[in-house]
Amino acid sequence: MTSGADMANDLAKDLDRVLGFVVPDRHARGRVVRMGPTLKAVLSSHDYPPMIERLVAESLLLAAVLGSLLKGDSGQLTMQAQTNGGPVSLLVCDYLDGAVRGYAQFDADRVALLPESPTLTDLFGTGYLAITFDQALTKERYQGIVPLDGNGLSDAVQHYFLQSEQIPSFIRVGFSADGNIGGALMVQHLPEGEEGRERLHVRLDHPEWDHVRILAQTIKDSELCDPDLPLETIVWRLFNEEQEVRVLGGASLTKGCRCNAERIKSVVGQFPADERIEMAGESGVISVDCAFCSKIFPMPLTEFVD
């Protein structure tokens, strides 16, 4: 049985949170995230093999990092990998107001034949990663599409920022030895500021960016995934010699599947009656399962009135 002291200690741990920061003199911004119970809550809905579980976990950490860049409430970040020829045929995750969700479709037999540390090409074959920012305040949508190249999804995301946004970026994703906790760090260079001014000197060998990137590369998986180490301390360790570092505040992260019976019934009710009968089959019940949380919603035909 969990004691009151154990519960207090768990609450004191820095988990399921994302923290933003800026280093003004270096024209740099960043995000650091650490997830534990939320990762478990999302992944426990599926019986993934370890390799796929790690892939989905990485996508959730990246979704939290990228989604926290959105300004205002109700903005949504979506990442979707679509492929051709690989064992993983689909990977989807998103972020909305601190809530993350995701799932993968794959061929279990082919996944079992993959090397221990597969590349993105091993996992997906040829394919692309689409990253979409839906801005709730402005009703604008931004999407970038990049190839699935590299050793991990973080490589593809770095490529996205450099190709689509012309923002040099460094991203590190790590996991604890038992895989129960994951963390990610992203640092980006925004020369000449980010308030609408033209970004000059956007290049990978800029001395400001070299300095920030080298410091960011010293982060260790053990730091990213240590629940007793506050995220603020990570930022301080990396950049304590800089003239100024501003912490932007943290946001809590939760499992965010948005399925519900009423919404699903409304969607199914839009199909013609004969198609609903075909969906139900001999049982007279339409069963709809949510790909994100694996929950099944049974809906008898008698609930629909035409």
Side-chain angles (χ1 to χ4, degrees):
M1 180 178 294
T2 303
S3 67
D6 290 335
M7 292 178 64
N9 288 335
D10 287 341
L11 291 173
K13 296 182 183 299
D14 202 354
L15 290 165
D16 295 337
R17 191 165 72 99
V18 59
L19 180 74
F21 62 90
V22 295
V23 186
D25 292 338
R26 301 290 182 181
H27 297 108
R29 72 177 179 186
R31 294 289 189 277
V32 59
V33 61
R34 183 185 296 131
M35 297 170 65
T38 294
L39 276 185
K40 183 177 180 180
V42 175
L43 296 173
S44 63
S45 298
H46 304 269
D47 186 20
Y48 292 133
M51 190 176 295
I52 300 300
E53 191 168 87
R54 181 66 61 95
L55 178 67
V56 176
E58 182 183 8
S59 73
L60 294 171
L61 288 163
L62 291 170
V65 167
L66 301 183
S68 65
L69 294 172
L70 290 163
K71 296 179 180 179
D73 296 331
S74 299
Q76 181 170 318
L77 175 282
T78 304
M79 291 173 52
Q80 180 168 330
Q82 292 203 344
T83 69
N84 180 23
V88 181
S89 56
L90 179 67
L91 174 67
V92 181
C93 64
D94 63 33
Y95 170 102
L96 176 65
D97 294 338
V100 294
R101 62 178 184 170
Y103 75 95
Q105 295 177 351
F106 59 95
D107 184 322
D109 292 334
R110 295 180 64 192
V111 166
L113 299 176
L114 290 174
E116 184 175 347
S117 299
T119 65
L120 291 181
T121 301
D122 293 332
L123 289 164
F124 296 108
T126 59
Y128 64 86
L129 179 68
I131 300 176
T132 307
F133 291 90
D134 286 299
Q135 301 278 2
L137 292 178
T138 62
K139 306 300 182 183
E140 294 178 301
R141 168 177 283 197
Y142 303 94
Q143 185 179 74
I145 297 176
V146 292
L148 282 164
D149 294 328
N151 293 320
L153 290 174
S154 58
D155 291 341
V157 174
Q158 287 177 169
H159 188 192
Y160 159 79
F161 277 111
L162 189 59
Q163 174 181 291
S164 300
E165 305 290 337
Q166 290 79 53
I167 301 176
S169 305
F170 168 81
I171 302 175
R172 168 76 51 80
V173 175
F175 293 92
S176 59
D178 59 11
N180 291 328
I181 298 176
L185 170 72
M186 179 176 73
V187 181
Q188 300 182 303
H189 191 219
L190 299 167
E192 307 306 322
E194 56 175 316
E195 297 300 326
R197 290 180 289 172
E198 183 180 1
R199 291 174 183 161
L200 305 177
H201 315 300
V202 177
R203 66 177 198 264
L204 295 176
D205 62 347
H206 192 290
E208 283 182 353
W209 174 236
D210 273 343
H211 177 82
V212 171
R213 176 179 50 79
I214 289 170
L215 291 178
Q217 286 175 336
T218 64
I219 191 69
K220 300 175 181 177
D221 288 359
S222 58
E223 294 173 297
L224 283 174
C225 301
D226 182 357
D228 296 315
L229 183 67
L231 300 182
E232 289 83 356
T233 301
I234 289 179
V235 176
W236 181 86
R237 285 184 178 182
L238 291 174
F239 304 108
N240 66 86
E241 294 185 1
E242 299 303 313
Q243 184 173 340
E244 181 184 7
V245 179
R246 299 175 191 164
V247 173
L248 303 179
S252 298
L253 300 169
T254 61
K255 176 184 176 181
C257 194
R258 299 185 289 277
C259 64
N260 64 74
E262 276 308 308
R263 182 178 178 185
I264 293 174
K265 182 179 178 181
S266 173
V267 172
V268 174
Q270 296 176 27
F271 286 88
D274 57 338
E275 291 188 24
R276 293 200 301 268
I277 293 172
E278 186 177 347
M279 287 185 230
E282 295 181 0
S283 68
V285 177
I286 301 172
S287 294
V288 179
D289 63 306
C290 173
F292 286 99
C293 68
S294 297
K295 186 175 181 180
I296 297 176
F297 295 85
M299 291 172 288
L301 288 175
T302 53
E303 292 186 2
F304 297 94
V305 178
D306 293 308

